[in-house]
Amino acid sequence: MGLFLSKLIPALLSPVSLVCLFCLAAGILALIRRAILVAVLTLLAALILYTSASPIVSRALICGLEKQYPEPESYEKASAVVLLGGAMIAPALPRRHPELNECGDRLLQAARLWQQGLAPVVVTTGGSVPFLTGQSEDDASMYARVLSELFAVPDSAILRVSRSQNTYEDALYTMQLFEKRGMKKDILLVTSATHMPRAAQLFRKQGFIVHPAPTDFRAGEKPLTQPFRFFPVEWALNETVNALHEYMGLAAYKLMGRL
């Protein structure tokens, strides 16, 4: 139930959900002739949608996360590269092989660090969350398959954490794996730049020395030019939703004492 609520509550509080809720409420109120409330809810819905889809707002939210961990010019050696889940799409016809989603840079970054000899092993994380993704194969196993097939990482150099279903569990179960194998808790942590503030804190809470290796930067992806920066666009709405998810995740984990 806790996992379900952790996925459901951010979805309900997202700008898209709030706009739909306000529009639905406005429609109901219109039927019972509450003109003032209809006007207020309609204006609130429009304001939320415009603000959330504004490139200026989305860029500010994204930058607030990404600037905390800029990508360093070089990395120190560590005991392992830890690759966080969330970048894979499971094979399902017509797909015959695992594919990468918009977070696929995570896999590329982990492979790059391993090929540079910065760590002897890659730890892949991420279990399956069937009720959310509709796929039963876990990210950790799909990562391992692609790393072996396309980047020549031997299976002996890949450790899987395949039962974690959120970032807190990624950190917890990775810690248990390291302790079981007697490994030094010194890691190169790979995840999207917007996700790094939350992930790095969670892994440090479990006693890891974290060398952040962020990737998948979004802030400079689309230049903001006049006058179009003031027009709402779909990609900005998506970025706003993703950024708010991270801010809510940080707040929730702090309230639960996990950070």
Side-chain angles (χ1 to χ4, degrees):
M1 179 60 70
L3 173 65
F4 179 76
L5 290 175
S6 72
K7 306 296 184 182
L8 176 64
I9 292 174
L12 292 176
L13 294 178
S14 76
V16 175
S17 295
L18 291 176
V19 167
C20 291
L21 177 62
F22 287 157
C23 287
L24 176 63
I28 294 172
L29 290 169
L31 292 175
I32 59 176
R33 301 187 180 185
R34 294 288 191 273
I36 294 178
L37 288 176
V38 170
V40 169
L41 289 174
T42 302
L43 288 172
L44 279 174
L47 180 62
I48 291 173
L49 183 58
Y50 175 79
T51 303
S52 302
S54 166
I56 296 175
V57 172
S58 69
R59 190 58 47 84
L61 292 171
I62 291 290
C63 285
L65 294 165
E66 292 188 348
K67 71 180 182 181
Q68 297 181 43
Y69 292 98
E71 187 170 11
E73 293 184 5
S74 61
Y75 294 98
E76 298 182 31
K77 289 191 174 183
S79 298
V81 174
V82 177
L83 169 58
L84 298 190
M88 300 302 299
I89 303 173
L93 291 177
R95 291 189 306 276
R96 295 188 179 276
H97 305 282
E99 295 182 359
L100 300 178
N101 60 26
E102 65 275 7
C103 299
D105 291 344
R106 299 182 188 186
L107 178 66
L108 300 179
Q109 177 79 319
R112 183 181 299 115
L113 295 173
W114 184 83
Q115 290 182 340
Q116 290 174 358
L118 293 172
V121 298
V122 178
V123 178
T124 60
T125 75
S128 63
V129 188
F131 73 82
L132 186 66
T133 64
Q135 58 189 45
S136 58
E137 190 170 359
D138 58 86
D139 272 18
S141 298
M142 288 188 284
Y143 275 148
R145 189 192 314 181
V146 176
L147 286 169
S148 295
E149 290 180 357
L150 301 184
F151 298 98
V153 182
D155 191 66
S156 59
I158 302 174
L159 303 176
R160 299 164 180 79
V161 176
S162 57
R163 60 193 181 106
S164 56
Q165 295 184 313
N166 54 43
T167 312
Y168 169 73
E169 292 183 355
D170 284 340
L172 176 65
Y173 296 149
T174 301
M175 178 271 293
Q176 293 175 356
L177 172 69
F178 273 55
E179 290 188 343
K180 180 180 179 180
R181 299 177 69 94
M183 297 171 61
K184 182 181 178 182
K185 294 182 183 179
D186 182 21
I187 62 171
L188 287 159
L189 183 62
V190 177
T191 191
S192 300
T194 54
H195 185 226
M196 187 60 77
R198 182 158 56 108
Q201 290 186 57
L202 285 167
F203 273 81
R204 288 186 179 121
K205 187 76 171 181
Q206 294 297 332
F208 285 95
I209 298 171
V210 175
H211 304 288
T215 188
D216 186 29
F217 286 86
R218 304 294 179 86
E221 192 173 71
K222 298 179 177 67
L224 300 182
T225 56
Q226 299 282 6
F228 298 101
R229 63 193 307 176
F230 298 105
F231 283 80
V233 290
E234 182 180 352
W235 62 260
L237 176 60
N238 184 58
E239 286 189 349
T240 297
V241 171
N242 289 337
L244 290 176
H245 176 81
E246 291 303 322
Y247 286 113
M248 285 190 285
L250 282 165
Y253 279 145
K254 287 180 180 177
L255 287 173
M256 291 187 289
R258 292 179 172 179
L259 290 178

